[in-house]
Amino acid sequence: MVPADSRDRRQWSTTAKKVDLISRNSSIPKLPTEGNIVSWFDESCRLFPLGTAVETAEGSVSYRQLQERVRRSSDLLEQLKIGTGDVVAVLLADRVDLIATMISLFQRGSLFVPLDVDAPPERTKAIISNARPLVLLTDETLDGDSTAKNKRFGIHCPVVAIRHPKGDVLRPVSKKPSPVLSLKDRAPSTPAYIYYTSGSTGKPNGVLGSLIALSQFIRWEVETFSMEIGWRTSQLSSPTFDPFFRDIFVPLCTGGTVIIPPAEPGRMTPEDLAAWISRYDIHLVHTVPTLLAALADSDPSAGRGEGLRCMFVAGETLCSSVVKQWWKRFGKKAQLINLYGSTEMTMVKLFHIVSESDLKRPTTPIGKPIDGAEVILLDREDQECSPNSIGEICIRSPFLALGYFRNPELTEKTFTPDPFTAEPGPILYRSGDFGRELPGGALEFIGRKDDLVKIRGVRVEVGEVQSALERYPVVSEAAILVNGKVDRQLLGKMPSDKDDGPVYPIFARNDIEQILADIWCEVLGLQSVSVDENFFALGGHSLSAMRVASHWIKMTSNHLSMAAIFDHPTIAQLARYLSELDPADPRTNPSPPDPEPTAKRLCNLLIVVNEQLGRSSFEKIAEKVEVVDPAIRAFVVDDSPQVSVNLEERPTLVFSPALLRNRPAFRGHILCGLPMTKSEEYTAVATRDIPVPDWKLLSEEGDADLSRFPGQVVCKPNDGGKGAAVKLMSKFRVVWKPVFTAASGLSDSLIVQRFIYTGPRPNSYRVSVLFGQTLYAVRLTAGPGRPLLPTPGEMAFGEKPTGVSIVSNTPDSEIEAVYDQDIIELAKKASTAFPDIPLLGVDLLREEATGRLFVIEVNLLGYNWNFPGTGPRSFNFPIEEQFDGLTKAARLLAKKTQLLAAR
């Protein structure tokens, strides 16, 4: 992985015009009519190799790097002789490895069966028992004692660790080699995955899905909502629920980025989630109404999701009250779309764009069918319902699931022949949901016709829960009821040695318990609560625990972690825990951890510029900083003795790309450029093992022995020096003498350096780096009007390069964008040698004969910030958008401001 803020996601801005994937003059992708999500992903890898494919709190993975992981996973499958039709269970905690493994299985035509690391062992056993996988792929951390695994999960197949397979595990499984069909040779009915839903018989049901149906939905979502290339999409769904597919393939098929949260969403407070969505500039979110409600209830200071364009919700009824609160909290800049579907339908088959008129109803409609689907409401006699009548929602589509794995009876019952056509083949999926058509044609969801319920968007068959309970020896009979109450008097007594008499509720006894009781009642919809009742037994869950934490923070200004609620699930326990905390304890009021602050403080950012810097680009950045983090006030001022700006008394970061000539009279932290000699630069980068052309420092007392150098050398002032002061000459003509430079005045020492030949037209690379993250990278080539440079061989035979400049960075230079990962990574590595300098311009050369890269200069004064393209030089592309440089710079400055404010 590369660092998390290395979001080189705008490389498409310069390549879009030559890409078949993209329509002309548009950044909106139009997916090819041929192929599927696998070939579309491959195309993204071809077009955007350095674009960020996946981003986590630990770092980011480019498309090239993700494709390499897919290749390694495919090689492993090849060694194991896994091919078309083979069932492979996957139990991976690392989300990037999971994505790569899934794609490699799709490529080979194998059946992907995801398992949940946190699922109850009994459920995992039931899935493995039904799927009968040929192999289980897992993390190295999960790959351990096979006896323990068999006991816990009932695994009786080879277990292979993805990253570091050990010993004899890599022996092929005992089967004949299985063929691998090419993508074009696979039939529409070829299964690609098995997703397990809850079953009414007490056992999970495996739903068979195909790539063609999944790809049809991905195409529909991308094109219907004009999702632009490079959109950043949240990954909030569990991998064991099929909405995971849209989190992954909508961005990966369009050159976008999958953004993985730092923890499971249920373990984050609403404020943490809101801040994460804002901080990572997320454009697209797929989630459930429960989480939408939690976000809508979060503190606005956590962030307003300025980058959001689309918010899709599915899995539960979307109440109008939640919509109203969402719009009040986050505004209407992002489209809010209500989706309806199930695993059997393949993702989603109905949608509704939420509007103001929907607030007149208690719940939001589920809408109309997507492309390639039709909806029919059937009455009890399997006839189409009359208008305004309630009927079972049935879906007609060629893009449904392929049925239930190893369950033909349920398949025949649920996927029935279409009764409204005499043609053989068309299938009707009977959802078991009731709906009604509203005026205008949109559907309203009414409820279920069986015992299936949804809790936070997850399908739950009460029969499965009941079956699990009745397997316990002390349970003779069980009844399950959801969002209601059980008449406890009708339940038999628990077996015990004696009757301890009636148990009476204990209500709040102090202020802390009363505050918690009020919060619990509001969040759980209770009239009253005993301090000894368990939060989760009362219907609480991770998302409602998020709301409890959020309310507590608002009411007391003290921190309450999600872990504390899980560890202390009763009011009495939680109140005791909170009362025992020292107010100075970081668990009560934690400071924002590095590198991502979790709490926002009111701060100032003062950007100081001089006459040599493009002020307009910094003014744009200041505006973006305040959008990224509304808690920060950003100003751009001139570097003058009298800086006039009305700063409020709050933590202040003073930032200057160049050296500050006038220190501002404000208390705060200062980050600025710093002049350094070439010899100091080279000595510093040597500590990071950065390749620099061999050099020698000459001074009045210096050694003039240049015998180790070839015939032609480069001479330049040690202090300062621009193009005209850099000369190519014979080593026999080198003499020491002071040199006057326009940049730094008199330089009393001279650098002699080995000449690196880059071609007949000299060229170099410039990479701009802010806090270690790439803002832009360009190649500069000497203008075509300049004389060509002799080759090293010609120079060795006496050819004199008279009148030829070896400097490529001049007004007549040709400039083009660069996405070479080797160049970018070497520049970023070089920047680590100067940890106290915020903005650097790293210049590199690539030797023509060997292809080796060398760092020849690190500009520590920040004049490489040349976004506006002013002066005689003109960029032929929007350099500030290459790696989304302006926005990235604003995000990095906002984060640095908050981190320094917290110290």
Short mmCIF file of all heavy atoms in Angstrom, two decimals, residues 149-189:
data_model
loop_
_atom_site.label_atom_id
_atom_site.label_comp_id
_atom_site.label_asym_id
_atom_site.label_seq_id
_atom_site.Cartn_x
_atom_site.Cartn_y
_atom_site.Cartn_z
N LYS A 149 -10.04 -25.52 13.68
CA LYS A 149 -10.93 -25.04 12.62
C LYS A 149 -12.08 -26.01 12.39
O LYS A 149 -13.24 -25.61 12.25
CB LYS A 149 -10.14 -24.88 11.33
CG LYS A 149 -9.56 -23.50 11.18
CD LYS A 149 -9.16 -23.28 9.76
CE LYS A 149 -8.49 -21.93 9.69
NZ LYS A 149 -7.32 -21.90 10.55
N ASN A 150 -11.74 -27.27 12.31
CA ASN A 150 -12.80 -28.25 12.08
C ASN A 150 -13.83 -28.21 13.18
O ASN A 150 -15.03 -28.34 12.95
CB ASN A 150 -12.19 -29.66 11.98
CG ASN A 150 -11.43 -29.84 10.68
OD1 ASN A 150 -11.61 -29.07 9.74
ND2 ASN A 150 -10.59 -30.86 10.64
N LYS A 151 -13.35 -28.02 14.42
CA LYS A 151 -14.27 -27.98 15.56
C LYS A 151 -15.15 -26.75 15.51
O LYS A 151 -16.33 -26.81 15.80
CB LYS A 151 -13.46 -28.01 16.85
CG LYS A 151 -14.32 -28.05 18.10
CD LYS A 151 -13.47 -28.17 19.34
CE LYS A 151 -14.33 -28.22 20.61
NZ LYS A 151 -13.51 -28.30 21.84
N ARG A 152 -14.54 -25.62 15.12
CA ARG A 152 -15.30 -24.37 15.15
C ARG A 152 -16.23 -24.22 13.94
O ARG A 152 -17.37 -23.82 14.06
CB ARG A 152 -14.34 -23.17 15.20
CG ARG A 152 -15.07 -21.84 15.31
CD ARG A 152 -14.11 -20.68 15.34
NE ARG A 152 -14.83 -19.43 15.42
CZ ARG A 152 -14.30 -18.23 15.21
NH1 ARG A 152 -13.03 -18.14 14.93
NH2 ARG A 152 -15.02 -17.15 15.30
N PHE A 153 -15.70 -24.53 12.75
CA PHE A 153 -16.45 -24.27 11.53
C PHE A 153 -16.91 -25.54 10.79
O PHE A 153 -17.62 -25.45 9.81
CB PHE A 153 -15.61 -23.43 10.56
CG PHE A 153 -15.27 -22.07 11.08
CD1 PHE A 153 -13.96 -21.64 11.12
CD2 PHE A 153 -16.26 -21.21 11.52
CE1 PHE A 153 -13.63 -20.38 11.59
CE2 PHE A 153 -15.96 -19.95 12.00
CZ PHE A 153 -14.64 -19.53 12.03
N GLY A 154 -16.47 -26.68 11.24
CA GLY A 154 -16.85 -27.90 10.53
C GLY A 154 -16.23 -27.98 9.16
O GLY A 154 -16.84 -28.44 8.21
N ILE A 155 -14.97 -27.51 9.04
CA ILE A 155 -14.30 -27.47 7.74
C ILE A 155 -13.60 -28.80 7.49
O ILE A 155 -12.79 -29.24 8.28
CB ILE A 155 -13.28 -26.31 7.70
CG1 ILE A 155 -14.00 -24.98 7.88
CG2 ILE A 155 -12.49 -26.32 6.40
CD1 ILE A 155 -13.07 -23.81 8.02
N HIS A 156 -13.93 -29.41 6.35
CA HIS A 156 -13.31 -30.68 5.99
C HIS A 156 -12.77 -30.58 4.56
O HIS A 156 -12.95 -31.48 3.74
CB HIS A 156 -14.31 -31.83 6.10
CG HIS A 156 -14.83 -32.01 7.49
ND1 HIS A 156 -14.09 -32.55 8.51
CD2 HIS A 156 -16.02 -31.68 8.05
CE1 HIS A 156 -14.80 -32.57 9.63
NE2 HIS A 156 -15.97 -32.04 9.37
N CYS A 157 -12.10 -29.46 4.28
CA CYS A 157 -11.49 -29.25 2.97
C CYS A 157 -10.15 -28.54 3.20
O CYS A 157 -9.89 -28.03 4.28
CB CYS A 157 -12.40 -28.41 2.07
SG CYS A 157 -12.69 -26.73 2.68
N PRO A 158 -9.28 -28.53 2.20
CA PRO A 158 -8.00 -27.83 2.38
C PRO A 158 -8.21 -26.36 2.73
O PRO A 158 -9.09 -25.69 2.19
CB PRO A 158 -7.33 -27.97 1.00
CG PRO A 158 -7.97 -29.17 0.39
CD PRO A 158 -9.38 -29.19 0.89
N VAL A 159 -7.39 -25.87 3.66
CA VAL A 159 -7.43 -24.47 4.07
C VAL A 159 -6.14 -23.82 3.61
O VAL A 159 -5.05 -24.26 3.98
CB VAL A 159 -7.59 -24.34 5.60
CG1 VAL A 159 -7.57 -22.87 6.02
CG2 VAL A 159 -8.87 -25.02 6.06
N VAL A 160 -6.25 -22.77 2.80
CA VAL A 160 -5.08 -22.15 2.19
C VAL A 160 -5.03 -20.67 2.58
O VAL A 160 -6.02 -19.95 2.41
CB VAL A 160 -5.12 -22.28 0.65
CG1 VAL A 160 -3.92 -21.57 0.03
CG2 VAL A 160 -5.12 -23.75 0.26
N ALA A 161 -3.88 -20.24 3.09
CA ALA A 161 -3.68 -18.83 3.41
C ALA A 161 -3.28 -18.09 2.15
O ALA A 161 -2.39 -18.51 1.41
CB ALA A 161 -2.61 -18.67 4.49
N ILE A 162 -3.94 -16.95 1.89
CA ILE A 162 -3.73 -16.20 0.65
C ILE A 162 -2.30 -15.69 0.53
O ILE A 162 -1.66 -15.85 -0.49
CB ILE A 162 -4.71 -15.02 0.58
CG1 ILE A 162 -6.12 -15.53 0.26
CG2 ILE A 162 -4.29 -14.01 -0.47
CD1 ILE A 162 -6.27 -16.07 -1.13
N ARG A 163 -1.78 -15.08 1.57
CA ARG A 163 -0.52 -14.36 1.43
C ARG A 163 0.70 -15.27 1.50
O ARG A 163 1.62 -15.14 0.73
CB ARG A 163 -0.41 -13.28 2.50
CG ARG A 163 -1.40 -12.15 2.28
CD ARG A 163 -1.12 -11.00 3.19
NE ARG A 163 -1.97 -9.87 2.88
CZ ARG A 163 -1.95 -8.72 3.52
NH1 ARG A 163 -1.10 -8.55 4.50
NH2 ARG A 163 -2.77 -7.75 3.20
N HIS A 164 0.72 -16.17 2.48
CA HIS A 164 1.91 -16.99 2.69
C HIS A 164 1.51 -18.45 2.85
O HIS A 164 1.52 -18.98 3.95
CB HIS A 164 2.68 -16.53 3.93
CG HIS A 164 3.08 -15.10 3.87
ND1 HIS A 164 4.05 -14.63 3.04
CD2 HIS A 164 2.60 -14.02 4.54
CE1 HIS A 164 4.18 -13.33 3.19
NE2 HIS A 164 3.31 -12.93 4.09
N PRO A 165 1.13 -19.11 1.77
CA PRO A 165 0.80 -20.53 1.87
C PRO A 165 1.98 -21.31 2.43
O PRO A 165 3.13 -21.02 2.13
CB PRO A 165 0.51 -20.92 0.42
CG PRO A 165 0.21 -19.62 -0.27
CD PRO A 165 1.03 -18.59 0.42
N LYS A 166 1.68 -22.30 3.22
CA LYS A 166 2.74 -23.04 3.91
C LYS A 166 2.75 -24.51 3.47
O LYS A 166 1.73 -25.12 3.23
CB LYS A 166 2.52 -23.01 5.43
CG LYS A 166 2.47 -21.61 6.02
CD LYS A 166 2.34 -21.72 7.53
CE LYS A 166 2.17 -20.37 8.17
NZ LYS A 166 0.85 -19.83 7.99
N GLY A 167 3.96 -25.02 3.38
CA GLY A 167 4.19 -26.45 3.24
C GLY A 167 3.34 -27.14 2.22
O GLY A 167 3.24 -26.75 1.07
N ASP A 168 2.68 -28.21 2.66
CA ASP A 168 1.96 -29.06 1.72
C ASP A 168 0.57 -28.53 1.40
O ASP A 168 -0.17 -29.15 0.67
CB ASP A 168 1.84 -30.47 2.29
CG ASP A 168 1.08 -30.49 3.60
OD1 ASP A 168 0.74 -29.42 4.12
OD2 ASP A 168 0.82 -31.60 4.09
N VAL A 169 0.21 -27.37 1.94
CA VAL A 169 -1.13 -26.83 1.66
C VAL A 169 -1.30 -26.58 0.18
O VAL A 169 -2.39 -26.68 -0.36
CB VAL A 169 -1.35 -25.53 2.46
CG1 VAL A 169 -2.61 -24.82 2.01
CG2 VAL A 169 -1.46 -25.84 3.95
N LEU A 170 -0.20 -26.23 -0.52
CA LEU A 170 -0.31 -25.89 -1.92
C LEU A 170 -0.42 -27.10 -2.84
O LEU A 170 -0.47 -26.94 -4.04
CB LEU A 170 0.89 -25.04 -2.35
CG LEU A 170 0.73 -23.54 -2.13
CD1 LEU A 170 1.92 -22.80 -2.66
CD2 LEU A 170 -0.53 -23.02 -2.78
N ARG A 171 -0.45 -28.29 -2.30
CA ARG A 171 -0.67 -29.45 -3.16
C ARG A 171 -2.05 -29.34 -3.79
O ARG A 171 -3.02 -28.97 -3.13
CB ARG A 171 -0.56 -30.74 -2.35
CG ARG A 171 0.87 -31.04 -1.91
CD ARG A 171 0.93 -32.34 -1.18
NE ARG A 171 0.07 -32.33 0.00
CZ ARG A 171 -0.04 -33.35 0.84
NH1 ARG A 171 0.64 -34.45 0.62
NH2 ARG A 171 -0.82 -33.26 1.89
N PRO A 172 -2.18 -29.65 -5.08
CA PRO A 172 -3.49 -29.55 -5.72
C PRO A 172 -4.52 -30.39 -4.97
O PRO A 172 -4.22 -31.44 -4.43
CB PRO A 172 -3.24 -30.11 -7.12
CG PRO A 172 -1.77 -29.94 -7.33
CD PRO A 172 -1.13 -30.11 -5.98
N VAL A 173 -5.74 -29.88 -4.94
CA VAL A 173 -6.81 -30.65 -4.31
C VAL A 173 -7.05 -31.90 -5.13
O VAL A 173 -6.77 -31.95 -6.32
CB VAL A 173 -8.09 -29.80 -4.21
CG1 VAL A 173 -7.87 -28.63 -3.29
CG2 VAL A 173 -8.54 -29.31 -5.57
N SER A 174 -7.57 -32.94 -4.49
CA SER A 174 -7.71 -34.23 -5.15
C SER A 174 -8.90 -34.21 -6.12
O SER A 174 -10.01 -34.54 -5.76
CB SER A 174 -7.90 -35.33 -4.11
OG SER A 174 -8.98 -35.02 -3.26
N LYS A 175 -8.64 -33.77 -7.32
CA LYS A 175 -9.67 -33.72 -8.36
C LYS A 175 -8.97 -33.66 -9.71
O LYS A 175 -7.79 -33.30 -9.81
CB LYS A 175 -10.56 -32.49 -8.21
CG LYS A 175 -9.80 -31.17 -8.32
CD LYS A 175 -10.67 -29.98 -8.08
CE LYS A 175 -11.57 -29.67 -9.25
NZ LYS A 175 -10.85 -29.13 -10.41
N LYS A 176 -9.68 -33.98 -10.74
CA LYS A 176 -9.12 -33.83 -12.07
C LYS A 176 -9.05 -32.35 -12.42
O LYS A 176 -9.86 -31.56 -11.95
CB LYS A 176 -9.99 -34.57 -13.08
CG LYS A 176 -9.99 -36.08 -12.91
CD LYS A 176 -10.84 -36.73 -13.98
CE LYS A 176 -10.81 -38.25 -13.83
NZ LYS A 176 -11.64 -38.91 -14.85
N PRO A 177 -8.07 -31.97 -13.23
CA PRO A 177 -7.98 -30.56 -13.61
C PRO A 177 -9.29 -30.06 -14.18
O PRO A 177 -9.91 -30.71 -15.02
CB PRO A 177 -6.85 -30.55 -14.65
CG PRO A 177 -6.04 -31.75 -14.35
CD PRO A 177 -7.00 -32.78 -13.83
N SER A 178 -9.71 -28.89 -13.72
CA SER A 178 -10.98 -28.33 -14.17
C SER A 178 -10.72 -27.27 -15.22
O SER A 178 -9.80 -26.46 -15.07
CB SER A 178 -11.72 -27.71 -12.99
OG SER A 178 -12.95 -27.17 -13.41
N PRO A 179 -11.47 -27.24 -16.31
CA PRO A 179 -11.22 -26.23 -17.35
C PRO A 179 -11.57 -24.84 -16.86
O PRO A 179 -12.37 -24.66 -15.94
CB PRO A 179 -12.16 -26.66 -18.49
CG PRO A 179 -13.27 -27.38 -17.80
CD PRO A 179 -12.64 -28.08 -16.63
N VAL A 180 -10.95 -23.86 -17.47
CA VAL A 180 -11.26 -22.45 -17.19
C VAL A 180 -11.80 -21.85 -18.48
O VAL A 180 -11.09 -21.70 -19.45
CB VAL A 180 -10.01 -21.68 -16.73
CG1 VAL A 180 -10.35 -20.21 -16.52
CG2 VAL A 180 -9.46 -22.28 -15.45
N LEU A 181 -13.10 -21.52 -18.49
CA LEU A 181 -13.73 -20.97 -19.67
C LEU A 181 -13.40 -19.49 -19.81
O LEU A 181 -13.34 -18.76 -18.82
CB LEU A 181 -15.25 -21.13 -19.60
CG LEU A 181 -15.79 -22.57 -19.58
CD1 LEU A 181 -17.30 -22.54 -19.49
CD2 LEU A 181 -15.35 -23.34 -20.82
N SER A 182 -13.18 -19.05 -21.03
CA SER A 182 -12.98 -17.62 -21.26
C SER A 182 -14.30 -16.90 -21.01
O SER A 182 -15.38 -17.50 -21.05
CB SER A 182 -12.52 -17.36 -22.69
OG SER A 182 -13.55 -17.73 -23.61
N LEU A 183 -14.23 -15.61 -20.79
CA LEU A 183 -15.43 -14.84 -20.49
C LEU A 183 -16.45 -14.92 -21.61
O LEU A 183 -17.65 -15.03 -21.38
CB LEU A 183 -15.05 -13.38 -20.23
CG LEU A 183 -14.25 -13.11 -18.96
CD1 LEU A 183 -13.86 -11.64 -18.91
CD2 LEU A 183 -15.06 -13.47 -17.73
N LYS A 184 -15.98 -14.88 -22.84
CA LYS A 184 -16.92 -14.87 -23.97
C LYS A 184 -17.58 -16.22 -24.18
O LYS A 184 -18.62 -16.31 -24.83
CB LYS A 184 -16.20 -14.42 -25.24
CG LYS A 184 -15.12 -15.39 -25.72
CD LYS A 184 -14.48 -14.88 -27.00
CE LYS A 184 -13.42 -15.86 -27.51
NZ LYS A 184 -12.79 -15.38 -28.77
N ASP A 185 -16.98 -17.29 -23.64
CA ASP A 185 -17.54 -18.63 -23.82
C ASP A 185 -18.55 -19.01 -22.74
O ASP A 185 -19.17 -20.07 -22.82
CB ASP A 185 -16.41 -19.67 -23.82
CG ASP A 185 -15.52 -19.54 -25.06
OD1 ASP A 185 -16.03 -19.06 -26.09
OD2 ASP A 185 -14.33 -19.89 -24.97
N ARG A 186 -18.73 -18.17 -21.75
CA ARG A 186 -19.64 -18.52 -20.67
C ARG A 186 -21.07 -18.16 -21.02
O ARG A 186 -21.36 -17.08 -21.53
CB ARG A 186 -19.23 -17.80 -19.38
CG ARG A 186 -17.86 -18.22 -18.90
CD ARG A 186 -17.46 -17.49 -17.65
NE ARG A 186 -16.01 -17.62 -17.44
CZ ARG A 186 -15.33 -16.94 -16.56
NH1 ARG A 186 -15.94 -16.07 -15.78
NH2 ARG A 186 -14.03 -17.09 -16.43
N ALA A 187 -21.98 -19.05 -20.70
CA ALA A 187 -23.40 -18.82 -20.97
C ALA A 187 -23.98 -17.89 -19.91
O ALA A 187 -23.46 -17.79 -18.80
CB ALA A 187 -24.14 -20.15 -20.97
N PRO A 188 -25.10 -17.20 -20.24
CA PRO A 188 -25.74 -16.33 -19.24
C PRO A 188 -26.12 -17.06 -17.97
O PRO A 188 -26.23 -16.47 -16.91
CB PRO A 188 -26.98 -15.81 -19.98
CG PRO A 188 -26.63 -15.91 -21.44
CD PRO A 188 -25.76 -17.11 -21.55
N SER A 189 -26.34 -18.38 -18.08
CA SER A 189 -26.76 -19.15 -16.90
C SER A 189 -25.59 -19.70 -16.10
O SER A 189 -25.78 -20.46 -15.17
CB SER A 189 -27.65 -20.32 -17.35
OG SER A 189 -26.95 -21.17 -18.26
#
